[in-house]
Every structure is written in structure tokens, then in C-alpha cells.
Amino acid sequence: IAHNIRIVRINMKKIKILIALTFILGFLSCSDSFLDIKPLSIFTPESIYTDETGFKGVLVTLRKNLRFEFYGQVGAIGCEIISSDMAIAANKGADAMHNYDTQLLPTGTGSTYNFFELWDVAYNQIRNANVVLSRIEKADIKNETTKKEIVAEALFHRSYWYYRLVHVFGDVPFLSKEYTEPKIDFYTHARKTILTKIQEDMNVAVLSLPVNVVPGAVSRAAGYHMLAKICLANSKFNEAVTAATAAINGGNSLMTARFGQVASDPKYNVIWDLHQKENKSLSNNKEALLVVQDKYGFPDAEVVGGTNSLRRYAPCWWNNYIKDPSGKHAMTDASGNKYTILWGRGVGYVRTINYYNYDIWKDAKDLRHDTLVNWFPTEKFVYNNPTSAYYLQKAQIKYSNAKDTIHCWFPFPYYKIYVADEERPLQPYGGHSDWYVFRLAETYLLRAEAYYWLNDLQKAADDINMVRNRAKATPVTAAQVDINYILDERARELYTEEPRKTELTRIAFIMAENNKLGYSIANFSTKNYWYDRIMEKNAFYKAGNILWGTNVYKLSPFHVLWPVPASAIESNAGGVINQNIGYIGSEKNQAPLTMIDNNQ
């Protein structure tokens, strides 16, 4: 919304100079010909959004901007994972998000863990999509199929970001068209109203999205995957099954055989192949539904700094907290050190907890937890500081302060987060790589969840086992399937890919709206499944008194929804954007709108 509200600042000095130049030109000219405008080019919306090329340029921008949360130090997906049952922020900085009661505020959350970046990026993307949807009817596009494909992808992007917004911020304003002048009278729309709208949009979009696309573009299967998520959020479980089935039967398949650059090396397995950067966008990777692009050395497809996946997800093992038996610093991140290159220079911006690190890995056969190549247990660390008398001996945490393990000592899925770093090869942070947004494994788990809500536990188990069988894990029985098991399987399969907080909140809303397990919409901000699951699984938040840096780890039930940025509310002087319950400003809320039209 902030992108639709502009305060024009006029530089009076420049205006005076222009006026003076005008008078000079007037005196020097012997005719009025100097008044004729002969521009070399005019880049205005009216000149750009006229044909297929102009609109496809907007689609490229929409695709590029899908990348933001998967790259950089923390990203929106990192903020989501630490706001869930899976992880915490191990960073010790003052703005590291530990205590949600005191740090998650409408006025901001700091620069490292920027919880409001999602709001800004989402509405920027929605604006771009609306440019397409508002202008394409007047465009000179002769091919009707091409025109429908452009509209369909724009609808996908708008739906994608509204799906995220309503599960992070709840009720938010719905922008149904492009605004070409400042607007400060937005009103909040009800979450369910928005979900109904984007379900209708995606029902239309999937019919026109192309089956085969270039890497980074939105395929029909990706559209059906998105539709399945929206149908689940709307408690339309049969429709979710139909949409997920369409994605599954749309020409894609789980990768169960070796493929890609190291397919002939018996050291590795298909799980490894699936997550290597060289393989994610391969044409024979039939599991990939939507993959954002990051190619080193190609300016149009290169994200500044790359994934930072090691910096974000790996422990700060090199910190001087880790001591050898003599009490000396025994680990080093020195540039060029063999183990620095092998392990990466992790910082632990996202630090997984025992639930993910140990509790869900009871099956020794599961390839996703294969410690030979895929999983990196702490037992693999050795003292890598050549100055230590214990150099290359197995590192042990018992000689260090136990509390320092928060930052420096935890296992991680090496196969997912180790990305060779082209820019920092001797001290890698995590280099450039494409990244999965949607993958068919998740589609099966979405359909399994829909079957669960429909009480068809055998079909739910069958879909879960499609994923487990590929990982060589023991199949689950129908009797074992419940929502907690489905979330455990999502954790095993989709860590670093799924926006975990969004999916937990979606499930919390389903339970509340259907009055399951004692939950209800009436008291959603004080009792919800999101909070209860975190309190069950995440020992740091459950304790409520673990101090790390300047703040303890703590959150409350109302944090199921993040605060709407105060800047968006305050700059909207002519309307009302609601604040979520629990945050300052919610006392001014009005009933959200339940209808969407082009006047809002």
C-alpha cells in the first residue's frame, strides 16, 4: 500500500533553474520551433504496456521478485521458520527476534530480522500484477492464447502474495486494480473474503496457464498446486483434492531415480541429486513445479550475494565459544582452511531445535537423515585450528559453556544448505543457486492433508508414503496419520522451502473455523493451534526464560498474526486499515469489508 501512496517533494532550486533556462532559450530563438518536443524515447506506462513484450516484461519482474525471501541473511522465510515449531534465531544481536512480546511491534522489528519486508514486497508484487490486469484489455495482443496466459500468470502472482498476507497478517486491504494516483483511503478486507476471491481467480487462471514453461515461469501444475493451498485455507477439502490431483497428473512426477551431474557417483543418492543447484531447473527434473532462478555471472538472473544458505542455516561453529580440552579456542573460520570450505561460515540466523534436529528422525533408513552425505551431525566436527594441540581430533562440546551451543552447535541438512560459493570460495556463505518454491513432494502432502480433513486416512497415508518411499523411509499406516504427523513429514521434506509459519497458521485457522479440538475464531488471538504446537515442540519458547543476548525467547498466542506495519496504517489517513488484536492500535478497528469491487 505504501507503494500506492506517494508524497511528491519538489526541489524549488531546480525549478528556478529551469525557468531561467526557458527565458534564455526564448530570447535566443527566432521561432517557436524549440517548443516542439522531440524525445528520443518516452518510457511511460502508456508507451510500455501496449503489446506482448511490455506485459511479458512485467511477468519477468514478478518472477524475479518471488526470490526475495529465499536469499540474503534471513529473508522472510527465515522469519517464518523462527516463528514456528522448528527453529529460533540464534543470532545474538540486539535486534535478533527472541522475545516477541517486546520486539514484534507495529513500529518495526529491526533490520536483521525484518518481519515487515514481506508486507512491502507483497504489495509491490500485487501492484505489478494489477498493472497487467488493469491494462491488458487495451493492449495490442493479437494472439488470444498469449493474452490469456499473461492474465493467468498475473492472477497467480496476486493470489500467491495474498495467500501469504492473510496467513501472516490476517485481514488486509485487497487491491483489485492499478492505482495511477495517490490513494490514502484503503479499508481492510476480511481474510475469508480475500481467500474466496483468489480461489475464484485461480480457478480461472489454471485453465490458461501453459503446461510447459521456461525455468522460473509459472506452469499449469504450479497453478493447481497454488489452488490446492487456497482451497485448504478455505476449508474446501474436496476441491483441494481435485486441484492437487490435477497438479500430480499434469505431467510431473517425483524423482525416484538418480539424475543430474553426479548421478553416476554411488556415494550420493536421489535426495542429494534433487537439491543440488545444477539440478533444480533441469528439464528432466519432473518434480520441480516452480523454481526461482539465481545464476552466477548472468546479471538478469543473479541475486546479489546469492543464497547465503550456509550463513543462515548452519551453526556458528567457528566462534571462540568452542574450546578444546585445554580450554583454548580450537575452531577457526580462516579463509582457505579446508574445513571452512567444507562446512561454510555459518552464523545460525535460523537455528533448528531438538524437534527438527532429533525428534522426527526415528527412522534410521530415511535418506533425508543419511549421515554419510545428506545430514551433517555435530559428531562430524573436528578441531580445525592448526594451533590447537587437539587439531583434527573429534570436537566435543562438553568443554564449552553449554549455553553457547545455542549459537554454535547443532546439526543441519547438508544436502539442502551447502551451496558452493562462487564469490567467497575460501570462506563460503552459501553461493548462487536456484531454489524450489513449489515441488511435487509438497503437492502429495497437501493432498494428504485434504484427505485427512475428509477423514480418508488410508488415502492420506498413501500420499504421505509417496514421499516416504522415495526417501526409503518406513511407510506410515492409516492409523498413524493425524495433522501432527503430516506436519512432521512436511518438516522432514520441506525445511528451507516452505513458509512454516504461514502453513501452521493456515492449519490453525482451519481448526478454529471448523471448531476442531476446542478451537474457535471467537478466541483465535488467545487460543490457537499455532501457539499450542509451538509450546509442545519448541523448548526455547516453551521455557519462556532462556536468555540469549539481551532478550529471552518468548511468544504469545496473539503472535499467530504479525502486526500490520504502523506506517501503512498511519499514512492511510482517509480510510481504516485494521491492526491485529494484541498490538497497539487494534482498539480503532472497524468491521472488515466482505465485498471486493473495483472502487476499493
Side-chain angles (χ1 to χ4, degrees), residues 134-437:
S134 296
R135 293 177 178 268
I136 197 162
E137 286 305 318
K138 296 181 179 179
D140 182 21
I141 301 176
K142 306 298 187 201
N143 189 308
E144 193 64 24
T145 298
T146 298
K147 184 176 180 180
K148 287 181 178 180
E149 287 177 353
I150 293 171
V151 169
E153 186 166 349
L155 287 173
F156 169 90
H157 286 283
R158 189 170 73 178
S159 300
Y160 176 94
W161 291 106
Y162 269 118
Y163 174 83
R164 294 296 301 285
L165 285 172
V166 299
H167 292 111
V168 173
F169 299 102
D171 298 341
V172 296
F174 189 90
L175 280 60
S176 57
K177 65 178 182 179
E178 176 193 13
Y179 296 98
T180 57
E181 57 187 35
K183 178 177 171 65
I184 57 170
D185 58 348
F186 292 97
Y187 287 84
T188 291
H189 287 82
R191 171 183 166 276
K192 291 292 288 185
T193 298
I194 294 172
L195 284 171
T196 299
K197 170 62 175 172
I198 63 176
Q199 183 174 337
E200 293 170 354
D201 286 347
M202 286 308 301
N203 276 326
V204 172
V206 291
L207 301 178
S208 297
L209 284 168
V211 174
N212 299 309
V213 296
V214 298
V218 180
S219 68
R220 184 171 300 176
Y224 275 117
H225 181 102
M226 184 75 254
L227 179 56
K229 285 194 167 195
I230 296 168
C231 290
L232 279 171
N234 251 336
S235 294
K236 303 294 186 182
F237 306 126
N238 283 306
E239 289 92 331
V241 168
T242 300
T245 301
I248 290 167
N249 295 339
N252 295 84
S253 59
L254 292 181
M255 298 303 293
T256 57
R258 297 295 307 278
F259 74 103
Q261 291 197 357
V262 296
S264 61
D265 190 337
K267 176 182 177 181
Y268 301 101
N269 52 58
V270 68
I271 298 295
W272 176 272
D273 294 340
L274 189 62
H275 292 279
Q276 300 315 293
K277 66 178 181 179
E278 300 87 357
N279 299 343
K280 290 183 178 180
S281 294
L282 285 180
S283 59
N284 63 333
N285 181 355
K286 299 303 182 182
E287 186 165 336
L289 300 183
L290 180 59
V291 185
V292 287
Q293 304 295 294
D294 175 25
K295 301 289 196 300
Y296 180 68
F298 294 84
D300 289 339
E302 181 181 312
V303 180
V304 175
T307 64
N308 274 257
S309 53
L310 286 164
R311 190 167 172 82
R312 182 188 299 177
Y313 297 115
C316 191
W317 55 267
W318 48 269
N319 197 288
N320 61 14
Y321 296 144
I322 306 300
K323 313 293 185 183
D324 64 21
S326 67
K328 295 181 180 179
H329 182 206
M331 309 292 271
T332 178
D333 64 337
S335 179
N337 181 283
K338 171 185 175 181
Y339 295 95
T340 302
I341 297 171
L342 183 65
W343 301 334
R345 193 178 184 276
V347 175
Y349 285 118
V350 176
R351 194 263 199 222
T352 47
I353 48 88
N354 284 359
Y355 160 70
Y356 177 74
N357 294 336
Y358 306 106
D359 296 349
I360 63 175
W361 302 109
K362 303 301 184 184
D363 191 337
K365 298 184 297 182
D366 196 324
L367 288 179
R368 296 166 296 190
H369 201 247
D370 164 39
T371 57
L372 179 63
V373 292
N374 289 342
W375 186 264
F376 193 101
T378 54
E379 289 78 11
K380 282 193 174 183
F381 283 121
V382 298
Y383 296 121
N384 77 318
N385 191 335
T387 66
S388 171
Y390 298 87
Y391 181 56
L392 298 186
Q393 292 187 27
K394 181 179 176 180
Q396 299 182 67
I397 197 63
K398 65 182 180 180
Y399 302 109
S400 307
N401 186 322
K403 202 168 188 179
D404 295 333
T405 64
I406 292 175
H407 198 197
C408 305
W409 199 257
F410 55 91
F412 53 93
Y414 191 81
Y415 70 104
K416 277 200 168 187
I417 73 171
Y418 187 85
V419 178
D421 198 328
E422 302 88 344
E423 297 181 64
R424 300 150 297 218
L426 301 181
Q427 201 179 51
Y429 285 14
H432 293 271
S433 174
D434 300 345
W435 211 262
Y436 293 118
V437 181

Side-chain angles (χ1 to χ4, degrees), residues 10 31 43 85 121 153 197 214 220 229 244 253 266 271 273 308 328 443 454 471 483 499 512 541-542 547:
I10 301 174
S31 72
F43 293 108
D85 52 351
V121 172
E153 186 166 349
K197 170 62 175 172
V214 298
R220 184 171 300 176
K229 285 194 167 195
S253 59
I271 298 295
D273 294 340
N308 274 257
K328 295 181 180 179
T443 319
L454 292 168
I483 195 62
Y541 294 128
K542 182 178 182 179
L547 179 65

